[in-house]
């Protein structure tokens, strides 16, 4: 028969955990439950085994007086030294802690629980590195746990807000290069970090990052002391983990170590830790470079796309050289010019690559900074030449790209729209079509769409892009009348030697039924319409080339001041042109204008005095590029 006896041990100690900047007192408690043989454990000889027997045994153990005359003590001689002492007790406790159970021949058996808990006593932590002069020396790539709770200090950093309570670390780099201050903390601690050359204060500040900036990179010199100050913003405190991370130069830091790349492949790349060994003709401060090499598998155009992916919208320079060494020839150079609002992609085009030749590509972030990017290698477009035009039909839609396209400026409406791609369309019937090119790339680049009667033939129509109906969308569109079996060649080209991606859509449309003044649509206050496919002439006094017009009549019920309001745009086209109201409904000759307004930002409004039961003409017109859909509204009451 066994008795379960819980034995509790209590210990309290002070400790400084390695790497911490604070000191706590801990209380440690643990409970062991023993099974004691009742027959052998009756040390007090009172006929039963109880806590008194275990107390006597513990006392004899402590006094080293437990010998083989006591059966229980004899069985407890774990180390077989001839007596039972603290070594045996330590061995038994060690076995318990490891979860080892004694076998059935022994008098002790571990088959119950063991519990352990650590309780931090309510004692204010002592900050060891509260002052700059007491900065804790740290090394790179090692974790340090710290806290600003209980810290003092002053707000001396240039970038933080009320970052008063600070702690200090002294970092002496073992080698030159790029380092990053990485601070991981709880949601309640948002660290501001700064680096100083000495403890003189604000005048010695070298770098500073506020709580919103996690890219805390700095270049350091081996053997130089850098004092790192950490503080929470807005007078708060908290706990954190600090690591100073070293970024060695990448394997492709030099041209001689260029990484091979292949066609139609994505490569995840970065310039962290890169040094400078060359320059490019089109960049600025692009001193941190990485190198790649491409061996052409065919003759032709090759495009190297640089796509930033570190969310800071950096600008990259890319250049291609014919070799390494001191004086290689730069064959092409490209950088993002910062004109758009979207992802700043840099497209490097190598024209006339020769099969079997190896080319060296240098990529560097402008502004002497570092970053991550994707590198994609692709050929130029297959429909780069008119003779290789891609076949397309009415009601077809296709995605296209001028990235890597060659060409020449041959259209009447563009400005140096020299990178072009071509499409071939053959009509199966007499029809009026809308040819529409949309760019959703957020790049705000201008481009043209034009129609030719043959390759090397005569331009039939041309339209330049403008803001379209969608958010940040630009549209180039034209309306063209086709006859049965007629073949046309559609050219899409980007201006200013730019490159981009687009959607090309061709749809059949009808001439609006109110295209002529004599067919004006009667409206009672609101209507929707379009000028797509409309004919006409330049009639309004405030317009220029607003030749595509549709007509409406309006007869007011009451005499009052009326607001005539037009809003354009929408999913199917931009809108630009004029809104005109005439004093009467005669089409030949037209009555006197009561008001004329140019449409700006797809919107225009006129305020006119109208007489009850008199019919008035309203003309809505647009130029070639501005044809599109609109809403027309008339209501009394005037402004407000």
């Amino acid at each position: 028969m066994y008795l379960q006896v819980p034995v509790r041990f209590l210990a309290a100690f002070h400790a400084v955990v390695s790497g911490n900047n604070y000191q706590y007192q801990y209380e440690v408690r643990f409970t062991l439950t023993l099974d004691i043989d009742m027959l052998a454990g009756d040390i007090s000889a009172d006929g039963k085994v109880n806590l008194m027997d275990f107390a006597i045994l513990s006392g004899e153990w402590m006094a080293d007086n437990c010998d083989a005359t006591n059966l229980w003590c004899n069985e407890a001689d774990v180390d077989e030294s001839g007596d039972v002492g603290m070594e045996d007790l330590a061995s038994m406790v060690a076995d318990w802690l490891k979860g080892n159970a004694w076998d059935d021949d022994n008098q002790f058996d571990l088959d119950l629980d063991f519990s352990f808990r650590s309780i931090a006593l309510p004692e204010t932590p002592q900050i060891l590195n509260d002052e700059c002069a007491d900065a804790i020396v740290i090394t790179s790539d090692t974790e340090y746990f710290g806290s600003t709770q209980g810290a003092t200090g002053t707000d001396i950093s240039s970038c933080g807000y009320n970052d008063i309570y600070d702690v200090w670390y002294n970092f002496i780099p073992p080698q030159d290069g790029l380092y990053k201050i990485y601070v991981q903390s709880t949601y309640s601690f948002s660290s501001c970090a700064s680096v100083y050359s000495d403890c003189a204060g604000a005048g010695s500040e070298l770098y500073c990052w506020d709580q919103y900036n996690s890219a805390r990179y700095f270049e350091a010199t081996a053997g130089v002391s850098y004092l790192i100050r950490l503080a929470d913003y807005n007078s708060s405190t908290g706990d954190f983990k600090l690591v100073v991370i070293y970024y060695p130069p990448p394997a492709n830091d030099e041209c001689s170590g260029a990484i091979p790349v292949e066609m139609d492949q994505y490569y995840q790349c970065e310039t962290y830790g890169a040094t400078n060994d060359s320059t490019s003709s089109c960049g600025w401060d692009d001193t941190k470079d990485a190198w790649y090499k491409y061996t052409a598998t065919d003759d032709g155009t090759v495009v190297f796309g640089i796509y930033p992916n570190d969310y800071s919208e950096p600008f990259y320079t890319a250049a291609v050289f014919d070799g390494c060494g001191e004086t290689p020839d730069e064959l092409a150079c490209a950088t993002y010019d910062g004109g758009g609002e979207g992802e700043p992609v840099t497209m490097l085009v190598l024209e006339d690559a020769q099969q079997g030749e190896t080319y060296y590509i240098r990529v560097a972030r402008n502004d002497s900074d570092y970053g991550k990017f994707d590198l994609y290698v692709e050929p130029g477009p297959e429909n780069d030449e008119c003779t290789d035009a891609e076949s397309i039909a009415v009601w077809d839609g296709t995605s296209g790209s001028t990235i890597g396209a060659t060409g020449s400026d041959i259209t009447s409406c563009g400005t140096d729209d020299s990178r072009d791609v071509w499409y071939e369309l053959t009509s199966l019937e007499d029809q009026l079509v809308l040819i529409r090119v949309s760019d959703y790339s957020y790049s705000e680049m201008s481009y043209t769409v034009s129609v030719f009667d043959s390759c090397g033939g005569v331009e039939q129509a041309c339209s330049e892009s403008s803001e379209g109906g969608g958010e940040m969308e630009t549209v180039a569109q034209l309306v063209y009348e086709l006859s049965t079996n007629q073949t046309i060649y559609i050219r899409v080209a980007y201006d200013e030697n730019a490159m981009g991606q687009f959607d090309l859509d061709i749809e059949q449309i009808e001439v609006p039924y109110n295209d002529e003044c004599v067919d004006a649509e009667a409206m009672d206050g609101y209507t929707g319409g379009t000028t797509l496919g409309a004919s006409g002439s330049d009639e309004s006094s405030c317009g220029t080339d607003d030749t595509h017009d549709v007509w409406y009549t309006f007869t007011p019920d009451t005499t009052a001041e009326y607001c005539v309001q037009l809003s354009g745009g929408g999913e199917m086209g931009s809108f630009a042109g004029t809104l005109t109201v005439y004093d009467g409904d005669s089409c030949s000759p037209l009555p006197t204008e009561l008001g004329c307004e140019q449409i700006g930002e797809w919107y225009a409004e006129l305020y006119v005095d109208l007489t009850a039961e008199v019919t008035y003409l309203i003309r809505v017109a647009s130029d070639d590029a501005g044809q599109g859909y609109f809403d027309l509204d008339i209501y009394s009451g005037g402004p407000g």
Side-chain angles (χ1 to χ4, degrees):
M1 184 175 182
Y2 289 85
L3 174 67
Q4 298 175 351
V5 181
V7 183
R8 294 181 176 84
F9 295 86
L10 171 65
F13 62 91
H14 289 82
V16 177
V17 181
S18 177
N20 268 0
N21 68 331
Y22 52 89
Q23 187 177 32
Y24 278 111
Q25 184 181 44
Y26 284 93
E27 177 185 292
V28 180
R29 301 176 184 270
F30 57 91
T31 301
L32 303 177
T33 303
L34 313 179
D35 288 343
I36 302 175
D37 187 300
M38 292 185 64
L39 298 179
D42 187 12
I43 300 175
S44 61
D46 59 0
K48 58 184 178 180
V49 177
N50 51 32
L51 288 177
M52 180 61 73
D53 299 295
F54 189 75
I56 294 173
L57 175 61
S58 298
E60 290 178 346
W61 269 336
M62 295 296 180
D64 203 17
N65 293 326
C66 186
D67 57 35
T69 59
N70 185 296
L71 177 63
W72 194 28
C73 285
N74 184 47
E75 294 292 338
D77 185 12
V78 179
D79 63 1
E80 299 181 352
S81 63
D83 62 353
V84 178
M86 292 303 296
E87 295 83 359
D88 300 295
L89 179 61
S91 180
M92 284 188 288
V93 171
D95 274 347
W96 284 331
L97 292 176
K98 296 176 182 177
N100 297 329
W102 290 18
D103 60 34
D104 294 339
D105 294 334
N106 291 313
Q107 298 298 318
F108 296 90
D109 185 28
L110 175 67
D111 57 8
L112 292 177
D113 67 300
F114 166 72
S115 61
F116 177 90
R117 63 175 178 162
S118 175
I119 303 173
L121 299 180
E123 182 174 299
T124 302
Q126 177 185 355
I127 301 297
L128 305 179
N129 56 340
D130 188 31
E131 302 294 335
C132 177
D134 299 320
I136 294 176
V137 177
I138 60 176
T139 59
S140 60
D141 302 309
T142 304
E143 295 183 348
Y144 297 90
F145 296 89
S147 177
T148 58
Q149 298 186 53
T152 61
T154 56
D155 183 5
I156 64 171
S157 74
S158 64
C159 63
Y161 173 73
N162 285 341
D163 53 329
I164 299 173
Y165 304 110
D166 54 22
V167 291
W168 293 83
Y169 296 89
N170 185 6
F171 174 62
I172 304 175
Q175 53 200 335
D176 296 349
L178 180 68
Y179 293 84
K180 177 182 180 180
I181 298 174
Y182 173 75
V183 180
Q184 184 182 45
S185 56
T186 63
Y187 69 92
S188 61
F189 183 81
S190 299
S191 65
C192 301
S194 47
V195 178
Y196 299 82
S197 59
D198 53 50
C199 292
S204 63
E205 184 182 87
L206 303 175
Y207 304 92
C208 192
W209 304 276
D210 63 22
Q211 68 272 18
Y212 301 110
N213 191 338
S214 60
R216 298 166 175 178
Y217 299 95
F218 68 102
E219 295 181 7
T221 302
V224 174
S225 177
Y226 295 88
L227 293 162
I228 300 173
R229 177 184 184 268
L230 296 182
D232 197 359
Y233 87 110
N234 203 24
S235 304
S236 299
T237 60
D239 303 326
F240 58 84
K241 178 177 73 175
L242 167 66
V243 184
V244 179
I245 304 171
Y246 170 60
Y247 287 84
N252 58 336
D253 186 39
E254 305 288 337
C255 181
S256 57
I259 295 175
V261 294
E262 298 179 357
M263 185 70 73
D264 296 319
Q265 296 290 328
Y266 269 106
Y267 298 89
Q268 294 182 340
C269 310
E270 62 180 52
T271 58
Y272 291 105
T275 60
N276 175 238
D277 66 329
S278 184
T279 57
S280 299
S281 63
C282 61
W284 64 92
D285 293 333
D286 56 333
T287 58
K288 313 300 182 184
D289 52 23
W291 289 85
Y292 306 86
K293 61 182 179 182
Y294 170 75
T295 300
T297 55
D298 295 292
D299 294 346
T301 301
V302 183
V303 180
F304 303 95
I306 312 300
Y307 301 86
N309 60 13
D310 57 0
Y311 305 104
S312 61
E313 295 190 356
F315 302 154
Y316 283 89
T317 296
V320 58
F321 296 84
D322 63 358
C324 292
E326 295 183 1
T327 58
D329 288 333
E330 183 183 86
L331 304 179
C333 189
T335 189
Y336 179 72
D337 62 10
E341 296 187 8
E343 188 179 54
V345 176
T346 298
M347 308 304 298
L348 175 67
V349 178
L350 171 62
E351 298 182 13
D352 299 323
Q354 302 298 307
Q355 183 179 10
E357 291 293 323
T358 298
Y359 302 92
Y360 294 83
I361 300 93
R362 177 184 185 268
V363 180
R365 177 170 166 174
N366 290 323
D367 62 27
S368 301
D369 212 335
Y370 305 88
K372 294 182 178 181
F373 60 92
D374 290 335
L375 170 62
Y376 184 69
V377 187
E378 60 183 320
E382 295 181 357
N383 57 339
D384 185 32
E385 302 292 337
C386 180
T387 52
D388 298 318
E390 177 183 335
S391 180
I392 190 171
V394 177
W395 297 113
D396 276 359
T398 187
S399 296
S401 172
T402 61
I403 296 174
T406 60
S408 58
D409 184 11
I410 62 173
T411 56
S412 61
C413 61
T415 303
D416 192 23
D417 54 334
S418 56
R419 294 193 183 273
D420 54 22
V421 290
W422 293 84
Y423 298 87
E424 180 186 64
L425 170 66
T426 299
S427 177
L428 301 179
E429 59 179 308
D430 294 344
Q431 58 185 322
L432 190 67
V433 296
L434 170 66
I435 302 172
R436 187 170 190 267
V437 179
S438 305
D439 182 347
Y440 296 89
S441 66
Y442 301 88
S443 61
E444 296 186 348
M445 292 184 289
S446 297
Y447 52 92
T448 60
V449 57
S450 52
V451 172
F452 288 79
D453 60 2
S454 64
C455 289
V458 179
E459 180 185 276
Q460 304 296 304
C462 187
S463 178
E464 194 169 6
S465 64
S466 61
E467 286 190 56
E471 181 181 358
M472 291 303 298
E473 172 196 15
T474 55
V475 175
Q477 63 183 24
L478 55 83
V479 176
Y480 193 77
E481 187 173 358
L482 289 166
S483 57
T484 304
N485 296 325
Q486 180 183 1
T487 298
I488 60 173
Y489 293 85
I490 302 169
R491 178 183 186 265
V492 179
Y494 275 67
D495 287 356
E496 301 297 345
N497 204 27
M499 294 175 286
Q501 296 175 322
F502 58 86
D503 292 334
L504 171 62
D505 293 286
I506 302 176
E507 64 174 280
Q508 185 177 7
I509 61 174
E510 301 292 338
V511 176
Y513 61 86
N514 57 341
D515 182 39
E516 301 294 337
C517 177
V518 294
D519 297 317
E521 174 189 343
M523 59 177 297
D524 58 5
Y526 169 82
T527 190
T530 181
T531 58
L532 285 170
S535 61
S537 59
D538 184 4
E539 296 283 359
S540 298
S541 62
C542 62
T544 301
D545 295 328
D546 56 335
T547 58
H548 302 279
D549 55 23
V550 289
W551 296 84
Y552 298 89
T553 61
F554 176 69
T555 305
D557 294 330
T558 59
T559 299
E561 183 181 40
Y562 283 78
C563 177
V564 185
Q565 188 179 80
L566 184 144
S567 55
E571 184 177 343
M572 284 304 298
S574 60
F575 193 92
T578 57
L579 170 64
T580 310
V581 178
Y582 295 89
D583 188 14
D585 61 352
S586 171
C587 290
S588 181
L590 285 173
T592 303
E593 287 184 4
L594 290 178
C596 183
E597 186 74 19
Q598 284 191 330
I599 298 165
E601 298 294 329
W602 315 323
Y603 183 82
E605 63 181 14
L606 286 172
Y607 294 98
V608 292
D609 293 323
L610 302 182
T611 303
E613 305 304 328
V614 174
T615 300
Y616 299 88
L617 275 174
I618 301 173
R619 178 180 185 264
V620 178
S622 55
D623 57 20
D624 287 340
Q627 297 176 74
Y629 293 87
F630 59 85
D631 294 322
L632 183 61
D633 195 12
I634 304 176
Y635 56 90
S636 61

